[in-house]
Amino acid sequence: MKIIELTEDVSLTRDIETSTEKQRESVGAIINQVRQNGDKALKDLTEMYDGVRLENLFVTEEEIKEAYNHINQQTLESLRRASKNIQSFHERQTRQSWVTTNEDGTMLGQKITALDSAGVYVPGGKAAYPSTIMMNVIPAQVAGVRNIIMTSPPDREGKLAPAVLVTAAELGVTHILKAGGAQAVAALAYGTETVPSVDKITGPGNIFVALAKREVFGQVDIDMIAGPSEIVVLADNTARPDYVAADLLSQAEHDEMSSPVLVTTSKTLAENVQTEVEKQIAELPRKEIASASINDHGAIYTAAELDEAVEAVNQLAPEHLEIMTKNPYELLGKIRHAGAIFLGPLSAEPVGDYFAGPNHVLPTNGTARFSSPLNVDDFTKKSSIISYSQTAFERDAEDIAAIARLEGLEAHARSIEVRKKGEN
Amino acid sequence: MKIIELTEDVSLTRDIETSTEKQRESVGAIINQVRQNGDKALKDLTEMYDGVRLENLFVTEEEIKEAYNHINQQTLESLRRASKNIQSFHERQTRQSWVTTNEDGTMLGQKITALDSAGVYVPGGKAAYPSTIMMNVIPAQVAGVRNIIMTSPPDREGKLAPAVLVTAAELGVTHILKAGGAQAVAALAYGTETVPSVDKITGPGNIFVALAKREVFGQVDIDMIAGPSEIVVLADNTARPDYVAADLLSQAEHDEMSSPVLVTTSKTLAENVQTEVEKQIAELPRKEIASASINDHGAIYTAAELDEAVEAVNQLAPEHLEIMTKNPYELLGKIRHAGAIFLGPLSAEPVGDYFAGPNHVLPTNGTARFSSPLNVDDFTKKSSIISYSQTAFERDAEDIAAIARLEGLEAHARSIEVRKKGEN
């Protein structure tokens, strides 16, 4: 890993998967095909891309029962404990509708309503990602979304991974579509004969899923388009190099494009982490991926002072930030931009990825400047409430008509004045 | 206005301004030009599109002083009262960071932070829109955004409308760029020699502004892309036809593409509103626009029962909903989708457009199913806080490593296990 002295400007060498014109065209064509031919298109496209002709697009009760046979009891208990923590953290986020009732008789407020429905995309492939299911489904359930539908591409036998089915079933999600790619997104956005359309689609996916989400945005809401994963560790000389190295590598194993970065005030730590990374990386099963990430997008920045290091963190606006300094809590107020902030030597990133309770769907690619972790608010919306009384109306009518006329909107003014004339 | 008996499915004949390939190319080229040539590009493009060569891209103190000479004192007082109400309503929306501190020593929470900066686009043209400025700037200020920059296209003399300058100055916004269209959006998103880049761009604009916002989304955050305005009035036989007609017309005068809709349980009201609309429209200065809107996108739906009418409203998911029934309050719980809900005969839409306090930037085009009025949350973001204790770590380490391995991420498991070995 390169050790670089911190200068004024710092930025991650972010390497975003960019789409080609051909991919965009292909996604457009797939969406149109699903809109026009519904279930038939879904089956045709699944045959083409996933190599299996499905008779039934949905997972059956039998398949879910069968899946339980392939999960060991201890893992199941671990998933249940994780799920309980995630639920508990998200329940603290729920908000109430509110009104102000004024003495003049007016009532103003915000009504908070859950979305009617949500669709969760779960990637397929060799590994199963139960945590993706929990992190997307639980906030929607806590918000009060009544209809949740999950979708994931089947394997060549037309099956989904047991861990995926069991995790969904544990959360009470039984409406599971076997479809992936842009076709799954199109089905959720527009509906088919058997797939109900939803109000919002969340969950990670490959470039085709990302392009399709961007394309249907407006028809439905979407979560953010996730970029490669990032970690920044902010550490002083009290940090243990083996912990720091392990955490950088946990990020690096995700993807060749992941960015693992250390910002430290200690040159000694910088050098020791450099050594530890070499040592630990050699023993990793995914060492090729991790090496590419470390070499191409990893960096160790050394700062003269802690404040300078903190400012670099704010410039990077990382997805994950670990603070391993003498007193991490006193730095919290200075951190303006980070998706999740892990404080102290034991708050390793995987604690948050899987278990502690906060969401692991986090803003990447510097968007922590303006975006938030997935949360309960994302599955609710607000409506303004306005109730005006006679007293308030009479007091304010002239002001309102004056501003309407200043903006050249006469009918707006008249809608006020017709009421001044009337006996109410 | 057509009177139509309500059948099962109802939808607004929404007519969205769609962009052409040529417009998209043009916007892409403008954005590139501004990114490459900065201020020079801004000046060149302003000369080309607004017909004026600017020496100074920013409004000066003298121009603001001068603008006050063109505003009458009464209008100024009306604007100040509106601003006070808007500020007061938005202040009630502010949220606190929170943590849970558990007996096991863990601390979890959400840190709420204001965005560093925001840019507000204010359309130019003949009419000035002080309300746009108030509705976009005040939520950002209440959220705590430190740097707010406004932008609006200059007229052929290189000036902005006095009402725009005065409203901005009243709110304390003095950083005002003279630029419009895609070039203004590009400057705010990427910055130039003199224009600082911002984290979020809000405010309405024409198709070029909308396309540019969509294009820079991801680099910065944006508010929603607004469609044409909509009103749905839900009324029974207690409603006054002259009020209903005036409110439908206040929407209709905005734009030929606006949708003014009445849903009523009373056939008599339906007919009387039809007559009243004819009568009132004849006297409106913008009667051509209003007529086009009423004829092409207006409708009166009659329902057999109130519940059926309410369900139609939810299907329409209107931007503005007025409820003029015997007891509007008891319907509030049944309304699932609406941007703003106006209750009772005196809560005319312009009360909310300008004055009561809630925001007039509302979800259009059916997006009230999943979107909210512009609000203080839109100018903040959350960061998760995770602090794990020794006790909690030891208790949970095995669970966390188990889930990591289930997902095939060995380095995640090791980042936990390296800590189990260490003395902390």
Side-chain angles (χ1 to χ4, degrees):
Chain A
M1 264 184 120
K2 295 158 286 195
I3 299 180
I4 304 163
E5 210 165 304
L6 202 56
T7 52
E8 253 183 40
D9 275 316
V10 61
S11 67
L12 296 181
T13 55
R14 288 175 169 118
D15 199 0
I16 305 300
E17 195 173 5
T18 49
S19 56
T20 63
E21 186 60 35
K22 205 176 149 195
Q23 287 170 329
R24 284 191 295 274
E25 273 171 24
S26 157
V27 164
I30 290 172
I31 292 173
N32 282 337
Q33 193 176 340
V34 174
R35 287 184 74 173
Q36 279 165 28
N37 300 326
D39 287 345
K40 184 179 176 307
L42 268 187
K43 287 179 183 175
D44 291 349
L45 289 159
T46 299
E47 187 169 11
M48 182 184 303
Y49 290 106
D50 302 303
V52 59
R53 183 82 197 172
L54 297 173
E55 288 213 13
N56 186 350
L57 285 167
F58 289 92
V59 168
T60 63
E61 268 181 60
E62 286 66 39
E63 287 178 296
I64 290 176
K65 265 189 212 154
E66 166 67 13
Y68 272 89
N69 298 331
H70 300 277
I71 291 288
N72 81 57
Q73 192 59 27
Q74 254 182 333
T75 310
L76 186 56
E77 293 302 330
S78 295
L79 289 173
R80 283 178 181 160
R81 283 189 285 267
S83 161
K84 200 166 147 257
N85 290 344
I86 297 165
Q87 180 152 355
S88 158
F89 183 77
H90 285 80
E91 275 168 358
R92 290 183 181 264
Q93 298 171 20
T94 55
R95 298 168 73 183
Q96 305 300 318
S97 300
W98 58 270
V99 288
T100 70
T101 51
N102 299 324
E103 282 192 25
D104 63 16
T106 57
M107 190 170 90
L108 303 173
Q110 281 184 330
K111 178 177 181 339
I112 314 266
T113 315
L115 305 193
D116 282 350
S117 56
V120 174
Y121 188 95
V122 178
K126 277 184 193 157
Y129 297 103
S131 63
T132 300
I133 302 171
M134 297 191 285
M135 293 297 184
N136 283 277
V137 167
I138 292 172
Q141 288 179 326
V142 170
V145 175
R146 282 178 291 189
N147 301 310
I148 297 176
I149 177 166
M150 208 177 91
T151 191
S152 191
D155 65 18
R156 286 178 171 272
E157 272 76 55
K159 302 280 182 200
L160 300 189
V164 166
L165 293 183
V166 168
T167 308
E170 288 288 315
L171 299 176
V173 175
T174 51
H175 205 175
I176 307 171
L177 177 64
K178 293 176 180 174
Q183 57 272 27
V185 174
L188 291 175
Y190 293 100
T192 69
E193 301 91 317
T194 61
V195 182
S197 65
V198 299
D199 293 324
K200 179 160 191 160
I201 302 174
T202 68
N206 63 18
I207 189 76
F208 293 97
V209 173
L211 283 171
K213 280 165 70 181
R214 206 177 262 277
E215 191 67 29
V216 301
F217 177 51
Q219 169 70 21
V220 300
D221 196 16
I222 59 168
D223 59 353
M224 55 204 117
I225 308 284
S229 208
E230 308 154 0
I231 191 173
V232 170
V233 180
L234 171 63
D236 60 16
N237 59 5
T238 67
R240 286 185 50 150
D242 53 345
Y243 293 9
V244 175
D247 297 356
L248 294 175
L249 288 171
S250 79
Q251 200 54 242
E253 77 169 336
H254 270 298
D255 193 323
E256 288 91 347
M257 298 200 288
S258 293
S259 298
V261 170
L262 167 63
V263 182
T264 180
T265 48
S266 162
K267 290 220 166 92
T268 312
L269 183 75
E271 284 160 18
N272 291 341
V273 167
Q274 195 180 38
T275 311
E276 267 293 330
V277 165
E278 292 301 313
K279 197 177 109 190
Q280 293 184 20
I281 208 168
E283 291 159 32
L284 283 182
R286 292 162 70 92
K287 61 171 164 274
E288 281 75 26
I289 293 174
S291 296
S293 157
I294 289 280
N295 294 333
D296 298 346
H297 305 294
I300 298 174
Y301 291 105
T302 57
E305 299 196 14
L306 202 50
D307 275 352
E308 191 192 6
V310 168
E311 195 39 47
V313 168
N314 282 325
Q315 277 185 43
L316 295 168
E319 183 189 10
H320 306 92
L321 172 65
E322 289 184 358
I323 308 185
M324 291 194 242
T325 57
K326 199 167 173 215
N327 186 352
Y329 305 96
E330 73 181 16
L331 294 180
L332 200 47
K334 295 185 179 180
I335 302 299
R336 298 201 312 280
H337 312 306
I341 306 169
F342 298 77
L343 299 164
L346 294 176
S347 306
E349 198 210 290
V351 170
D353 284 347
Y354 296 124
F355 205 78
N359 212 289
H360 79 192
V361 181
L362 297 170
T364 56
N365 195 28
T367 58
R369 284 185 293 117
F370 48 75
S371 301
S372 305
L374 192 67
N375 64 86
V376 172
D377 291 347
D378 291 324
F379 294 96
T380 67
K381 74 283 178 49
K382 305 164 189 118
S383 302
S384 302
I385 300 169
I386 299 167
S387 174
Y388 243 49
S389 67
Q390 184 83 36
T391 310
F393 184 84
E394 279 169 15
R395 183 194 58 214
D396 298 337
E398 269 184 53
D399 283 332
I400 300 170
I403 302 177
R405 293 210 165 93
L406 180 64
E407 300 200 345
L409 294 171
E410 179 65 22
H412 281 63
R414 292 194 190 172
S415 117
I416 298 300
E417 285 164 358
V418 68
R419 287 166 162 89
K420 281 175 72 181
K421 283 182 258 165
E423 2 42 286
N424 299 294
Chain B
M1 262 184 120
K2 297 157 288 197
I3 298 181
I4 305 164
E5 209 165 304
L6 203 54
T7 53
E8 253 182 41
D9 275 316
V10 62
S11 66
L12 296 182
T13 56
R14 289 177 169 117
D15 201 0
I16 306 300
E17 194 172 8
T18 49
S19 57
T20 63
E21 185 60 34
K22 204 176 151 196
Q23 286 170 329
R24 283 191 295 274
E25 273 170 25
S26 156
V27 164
I30 289 171
I31 292 174
N32 282 337
Q33 193 176 340
V34 173
R35 286 183 73 174
Q36 279 165 27
N37 299 326
D39 288 344
K40 181 177 177 308
L42 268 187
K43 287 180 184 175
D44 290 349
L45 290 160
T46 299
E47 185 168 13
M48 183 185 300
Y49 290 107
D50 302 303
V52 58
R53 182 82 198 174
L54 297 174
E55 288 212 16
N56 187 350
L57 285 167
F58 290 91
V59 168
T60 62
E61 268 181 60
E62 286 66 41
E63 286 178 295
I64 291 176
K65 266 188 213 155
E66 166 67 14
Y68 272 90
N69 298 333
H70 300 277
I71 293 290
N72 81 54
Q73 193 59 28
Q74 255 182 332
T75 310
L76 187 56
E77 293 301 331
S78 296
L79 290 173
R80 283 178 180 161
R81 283 189 284 267
S83 161
K84 200 165 147 260
N85 290 344
I86 297 164
Q87 180 152 356
S88 158
F89 184 77
H90 285 79
E91 275 168 0
R92 291 183 180 263
Q93 298 171 19
T94 55
R95 298 168 74 186
Q96 304 300 318
S97 301
W98 59 270
V99 289
T100 70
T101 50
N102 300 324
E103 283 193 23
D104 63 16
T106 58
M107 191 171 91
L108 302 172
Q110 281 183 331
K111 177 178 181 339
I112 315 265
T113 316
L115 306 193
D116 282 350
S117 55
V120 174
Y121 188 95
V122 178
K126 276 184 196 158
Y129 297 104
S131 64
T132 299
I133 301 170
M134 295 191 286
M135 293 296 185
N136 282 278
V137 167
I138 292 173
Q141 288 179 325
V142 170
V145 175
R146 281 177 291 188
N147 300 308
I148 298 176
I149 175 165
M150 208 177 91
T151 190
S152 192
D155 65 18
R156 286 176 171 276
E157 271 77 54
K159 301 278 180 202
L160 300 189
V164 165
L165 293 184
V166 167
T167 307
E170 287 288 315
L171 298 176
V173 175
T174 50
H175 205 175
I176 307 171
L177 176 66
K178 293 178 180 174
Q183 57 273 26
V185 174
L188 291 174
Y190 293 100
T192 69
E193 300 92 317
T194 62
V195 183
S197 64
V198 299
D199 292 325
K200 179 160 190 161
I201 302 174
T202 69
N206 64 17
I207 188 76
F208 292 98
V209 173
L211 283 172
K213 280 165 70 179
R214 207 178 260 277
E215 191 65 31
V216 301
F217 176 52
Q219 170 69 23
V220 300
D221 197 18
I222 59 168
D223 58 352
M224 55 204 117
I225 307 284
S229 209
E230 308 154 358
I231 191 172
V232 171
V233 181
L234 171 63
D236 62 15
N237 60 5
T238 66
R240 286 186 50 151
D242 51 346
Y243 293 9
V244 175
D247 295 356
L248 294 175
L249 289 171
S250 78
Q251 200 54 241
E253 78 170 337
H254 269 298
D255 192 322
E256 288 93 345
M257 300 201 287
S258 293
S259 299
V261 171
L262 168 63
V263 182
T264 179
T265 48
S266 163
K267 291 221 166 90
T268 314
L269 182 75
E271 284 160 18
N272 291 342
V273 168
Q274 196 179 37
T275 313
E276 266 292 331
V277 164
E278 292 301 313
K279 198 177 109 191
Q280 292 184 22
I281 208 169
E283 292 159 33
L284 282 183
R286 292 161 71 92
K287 60 171 164 273
E288 281 75 25
I289 292 174
S291 297
S293 157
I294 289 281
N295 294 333
D296 298 345
H297 304 294
I300 298 174
Y301 292 105
T302 58
E305 300 197 15
L306 201 50
D307 275 352
E308 192 191 6
V310 168
E311 195 37 47
V313 168
N314 281 326
Q315 277 184 45
L316 295 169
E319 183 190 10
H320 306 93
L321 171 66
E322 289 185 357
I323 308 185
M324 292 195 240
T325 58
K326 199 165 172 218
N327 187 351
Y329 305 96
E330 72 181 17
L331 295 180
L332 199 48
K334 295 185 178 181
I335 302 299
R336 297 201 311 281
H337 312 304
I341 307 169
F342 298 78
L343 299 163
L346 294 176
S347 307
E349 196 209 291
V351 170
D353 285 346
Y354 297 124
F355 206 80
N359 211 288
H360 79 191
V361 180
L362 297 169
T364 56
N365 194 28
T367 58
R369 286 185 292 115
F370 50 75
S371 301
S372 306
L374 192 66
N375 64 86
V376 172
D377 291 346
D378 292 325
F379 294 97
T380 67
K381 76 284 178 43
K382 304 164 191 119
S383 303
S384 301
I385 300 169
I386 298 168
S387 174
Y388 243 49
S389 67
Q390 183 84 34
T391 311
F393 184 83
E394 278 169 17
R395 184 192 59 214
D396 297 338
E398 268 184 54
D399 284 333
I400 300 170
I403 303 177
R405 293 211 165 92
L406 180 64
E407 300 201 345
L409 294 171
E410 179 64 23
H412 282 63
R414 293 194 189 170
S415 117
I416 298 300
E417 286 164 0
V418 68
R419 287 166 161 91
K420 280 176 69 184
K421 285 182 255 164
E423 7 34 290
N424 299 295

